[in-house]
Amino acid sequence: MKIGHFLYFFNSVLLMLALSVPSFATCLDNNNGRLVSQRERIYFSGRSVEEIRALSSTDALSEPVGYLVDRTDSQVKRFSEKRIKNIFSTGGRVGGLGKALPELALVYMISGDLRYLRTILDIMNAAADNTNWSGNNDIDAANLLFGASVVLDWLCEALPPQRIPEYARAIDLHAEMLSTIIEQDSMWWVDSYLQNHNYTNHMALAV
């Protein structure tokens, strides 16, 4: 087994052992437009939404959280629904959308401001409605795969219940595409172990 393949499987096992991610059925059962306060979420180790909000206002974190809010405010302005649809329809680079999703989701969890959720939904809907994620074979697709997976985990109860299965299918489809590339060693980044494309793509698939 090549080292890149080993790292992928190793990271996958660690994540499966460390995390308890809600099933899509659980998301649908609890879906009432409000976040469940306390449950396992990727990276939060079962902290409640209230704990996350309280932590964000501490002296140690108030400055970086303020910076994050400024970033997400600019992303809301930058990524209008029209621009998001245009990126997908023209085959543009979707990596920036994927990178924005976890930041938007975190700020939405902290603030409850629906502006952030609307931008999240615009991105998630476009991702579910379009199978071409910048060629489906490299870092742009991986960034969107990572971001969409985090959103589905963190915010599942607040997402439209009729679209959750569509989001899940899009994630599964593009995870399968990346997995096939790794198994077949069909892209240059698979064996380029010092490249950010290698570890970004592997970790997106693991999440």
Side-chain angles (χ1 to χ4, degrees):
M1 179 181 288
K2 296 183 179 180
I3 187 170
H5 299 180
F6 170 77
L7 289 173
Y8 158 59
F9 287 113
F10 177 73
N11 287 324
S12 299
V13 170
L14 284 181
L15 284 161
M16 285 188 287
L17 290 174
L19 305 174
S20 174
V21 180
S23 69
F24 303 131
T26 301
C27 286
L28 290 170
D29 290 342
N30 294 314
N31 192 290
N32 60 5
R34 297 174 61 86
L35 295 177
V36 169
S37 174
Q38 188 163 2
R39 63 168 172 79
E40 290 294 328
R41 287 181 169 90
I42 295 175
Y43 305 123
F44 287 120
S45 303
R47 291 187 185 274
S48 70
V49 173
E50 289 76 18
E51 286 179 287
I52 295 166
R53 290 172 178 169
L55 283 169
S56 71
S57 62
T58 60
D59 290 341
L61 291 178
S62 60
E63 185 174 345
V65 168
Y67 171 75
L68 181 60
V69 170
D70 289 342
R71 276 179 58 86
T72 51
D73 283 345
S74 68
Q75 288 164 348
V76 167
K77 294 176 182 176
R78 178 185 177 194
F79 294 129
S80 65
E81 182 180 10
K82 181 178 179 180
R83 182 173 183 187
I84 292 166
K85 289 181 177 179
N86 184 64
I87 290 172
F88 280 95
S89 65
T90 60
R93 299 192 63 175
V94 301
L97 300 173
K99 291 177 183 178
L101 281 173
E103 297 178 351
L104 289 161
L106 178 56
V107 174
Y108 173 65
M109 289 174 65
I110 292 170
S111 69
D113 190 329
L114 292 176
R115 292 183 303 125
Y116 305 116
L117 182 60
R118 282 193 291 268
T119 301
I120 290 167
L121 293 178
D122 288 341
I123 297 172
M124 294 291 287
N125 290 341
D129 293 339
N130 295 272
T131 56
N132 181 13
W133 293 5
S134 302
N136 303 325
N137 59 12
D138 205 346
I139 198 165
D140 282 294
N143 279 320
L144 185 54
L145 177 63
F146 176 87
S149 300
V150 167
V151 163
L152 192 57
D153 176 64
W154 287 359
L155 307 182
C156 66
E157 307 90 1
L159 302 175
Q162 71 276 14
R163 300 229 60 173
I164 287 175
E166 298 172 20
Y167 301 154
R169 283 193 292 270
I171 289 169
D172 287 345
L173 172 65
H174 288 86
E176 182 64 30
M177 289 178 180
L178 279 183
S179 179
T180 299
I181 289 169
I182 292 169
E183 291 170 4
Q184 297 179 353
D185 198 6
S186 58
M187 284 291 291
W188 64 270
W189 52 262
V190 175
D191 295 326
S192 298
Y193 304 120
L194 299 182
Q195 274 278 347
N196 66 313
H197 290 247
N198 178 282
Y199 57 77
T200 298
N201 297 351
H202 278 84
M203 284 303 298
L205 184 54
V207 171

